[in-house]
Amino acid sequence: MTTASAVPRWDHPVRQADQPFDPDRLRWMLSKVQTWQPYVDGALLDDLAAVLDDYVPSEDEVEVLATRMRGHLTRLAQLAVASKADQRDQAVASLVKRARAVRPEALPGDRFRAVGYLRRMAWTLEEFLERLVENQCLKEAP
């Protein structure tokens, strides 16, 4: 059993904690953490196969695939910049620029042009993936 005299006493006042961010910034950070999605190689490969296959996606599939391909381009570009592979390899730097250029383009209204747009993104993704593996940003090709 402990006695009251064995319990340490704090003679020093405890100072108020310093908050690193204001409440709005903390809410913003929380929303980013909650919506973060890790790099998922299986989904990327599935999407590449869906776009580069002989099958032509329907209009509804084109919109969904465009959104997913843009997300993959964003993640690979961020990975290349964060790992500084874009500074070590000119081809990776070029792919980052290409990804940033093709990603914001509007989806063409014509289905076959939209599929062409998807395929340009897919070719960029495929090349990007290979270069990141070569630069050891990814352990192995998925």
Side-chain angles (χ1 to χ4, degrees), residues 25-79:
R25 184 70 173 170
L26 286 172
R27 276 190 283 282
W28 176 82
M29 288 177 60
L30 177 62
S31 73
K32 290 295 183 183
V33 169
Q34 289 173 331
T35 59
W36 175 77
Q37 293 181 358
Y39 169 72
V40 180
D41 56 332
L44 185 145
L45 293 178
D46 289 345
D47 292 341
L48 282 175
V51 171
L52 296 177
D53 197 4
D54 290 336
Y55 166 77
V56 178
S58 69
E59 287 184 39
D60 293 337
E61 291 172 320
V62 165
E63 290 184 32
V64 170
L65 286 168
T67 300
R68 293 176 62 151
M69 300 297 273
R70 287 179 181 125
H72 295 312
L73 283 171
T74 298
R75 282 190 286 285
L76 290 185
Q78 289 172 342
L79 177 62

Side-chain angles (χ1 to χ4, degrees), residues 1-139:
M1 290 196 120
T2 58
T3 62
S5 62
V7 176
R9 290 195 48 189
W10 294 96
D11 293 332
H12 304 288
V14 177
R15 69 181 178 96
Q16 186 175 3
D18 293 328
Q19 301 251 338
F21 301 108
D22 61 48
D24 290 335
R25 184 70 173 170
L26 286 172
R27 276 190 283 282
W28 176 82
M29 288 177 60
L30 177 62
S31 73
K32 290 295 183 183
V33 169
Q34 289 173 331
T35 59
W36 175 77
Q37 293 181 358
Y39 169 72
V40 180
D41 56 332
L44 185 145
L45 293 178
D46 289 345
D47 292 341
L48 282 175
V51 171
L52 296 177
D53 197 4
D54 290 336
Y55 166 77
V56 178
S58 69
E59 287 184 39
D60 293 337
E61 291 172 320
V62 165
E63 290 184 32
V64 170
L65 286 168
T67 300
R68 293 176 62 151
M69 300 297 273
R70 287 179 181 125
H72 295 312
L73 283 171
T74 298
R75 282 190 286 285
L76 290 185
Q78 289 172 342
L79 177 62
V81 171
S83 66
K84 299 187 179 178
D86 63 327
Q87 295 174 14
R88 295 187 309 269
D89 185 340
Q90 185 57 43
V92 172
S94 175
L95 286 164
V96 169
K97 287 179 186 174
R98 192 175 354 158
R100 289 178 175 165
V102 73
R103 194 178 60 222
E105 288 180 24
L107 190 62
D110 176 67
R111 179 173 163 220
F112 291 102
R113 287 187 179 172
V115 170
Y117 170 69
L118 286 177
R119 289 186 174 157
R120 280 189 317 180
M121 285 196 289
W123 292 323
T124 300
L125 276 167
E126 189 173 43
E127 188 177 346
F128 219 153
L129 194 58
E130 289 174 10
R131 294 302 302 179
L132 291 178
V133 169
E134 287 178 23
N135 280 277
Q136 298 179 347
C137 296
L138 300 170
K139 290 183 182 179

